[in-house]
Amino acid sequence: MRSVREQAILVALATVVATGSARAQTTPAEGEAPPPAAEPPPKVAAAPTSVPAAGAAEWHEGFMLVPSIGMNTFQGSGAANTGPGLRIGLLAGSRIIELLSLNIGFAFDVVNIDGPGGIPASEYMFDIGFNPLFHFPLEKLEILAGPLAGTFLMKGSLGSGTGALDSWAYGWTVGANAGLMFPVGSKVKLGGLLNFYLRNSLKLCVTANGNDTCRSSDIDAAKTLAITFAAVL
């Protein structure tokens, strides 16, 4: 029988041998390459953000103003003895989507009349109506087009003094707008508008010596074509 001291020595030797074997299994031998480290997960590239093309015409939802100034011409049989006159216009409304804006239109026309025999004559027309616009944005410009419908008031005079004739009329207007706009900033566009107005009188009155003579039929329609310089604000 082994003594207790011998048994303790044998247990200690067995423990040392077992520990050395475990270290030999976990430690790579001399000259042996260590196991490869775990690779980090691949980086996912961020999705590219869309950038508008350089020079592209931008649009902005909300309130919109289109002031314009230019020249009018009257066409048709009712345009005898008239020449080019001043046109001032304004569209005020809202761009509700990229392709459509809803606007109230105002137009003021100075009719350039040559009075018979050199008699002084003047005539003015004021329009107000509904002028929606369809917008067609391209890379470097925007096309505008749309119908119009509204009402007008005309005021005119012929001669001076006691022999002067004053006239006035009112009626309804239909027509169309078209134009090209070029961006000059983040919000402003400049360009031109072409306007066509067909004014049909419901009533025409002439005042002479304090007496009014009115009629509501057989009144020639006034056809107006205008070209103006305009801005979109």
Side-chain angles (χ1 to χ4, degrees):
M1 294 287 297
R2 294 180 179 176
S3 65
V4 176
R5 184 177 180 182
E6 291 177 347
Q7 290 179 359
I9 293 173
L10 290 175
V11 170
L13 289 174
T15 303
V16 171
V17 171
T19 304
S21 299
R23 290 180 178 178
Q25 292 176 0
T26 58
T27 303
E30 184 178 357
E32 182 180 351
E39 295 183 359
K43 295 182 179 180
V44 179
T49 56
S50 58
V51 178
E58 299 180 4
W59 76 281
H60 300 272
E61 182 179 2
F63 185 66
M64 183 182 75
L65 280 176
V66 186
S68 60
I69 185 170
M71 179 184 69
N72 66 49
T73 61
F74 285 78
Q75 312 293 323
S77 59
N81 301 319
T82 64
L86 176 66
R87 154 66 65 91
I88 299 175
L90 176 68
L91 299 178
S94 179
R95 185 85 171 260
I96 57 174
I97 58 175
E98 184 178 8
L99 301 180
L100 177 64
S101 65
L102 303 179
N103 310 282
I104 299 298
F106 305 89
F108 176 71
D109 282 314
V110 178
V111 185
N112 186 5
I113 299 179
D114 294 327
I119 298 175
S122 63
E123 189 173 304
Y124 307 94
M125 290 189 172
F126 178 75
D127 286 81
I128 182 171
F130 179 54
N131 296 359
L133 283 176
F134 296 98
H135 301 253
F136 304 95
L138 302 177
E139 183 178 356
K140 295 185 178 181
L141 60 90
E142 184 172 285
I143 301 174
L144 310 177
L148 64 90
T151 184
F152 79 92
L153 176 65
M154 183 276 291
K155 184 71 174 68
S157 66
L158 178 65
S160 60
T162 57
L165 299 177
D166 295 322
S167 61
W168 59 271
Y170 66 86
W172 52 272
T173 304
V174 293
N177 297 304
L180 295 175
M181 292 293 167
F182 301 87
V184 295
S186 59
K187 295 183 178 181
V188 179
K189 300 181 181 71
L190 298 178
L193 286 177
L194 186 66
N195 320 108
F196 175 73
Y197 282 59
L198 178 63
R199 298 180 173 103
N200 294 273
S201 297
L202 297 176
K203 188 174 185 179
L204 171 64
C205 294
V206 177
T207 302
N209 299 321
N211 298 318
D212 290 335
T213 302
C214 299
R215 57 177 179 169
S216 56
S217 60
D218 298 326
I219 306 173
D220 291 333
K223 302 175 182 177
T224 309
L225 185 65
I227 183 169
T228 59
F229 173 76
V232 176
L233 307 177

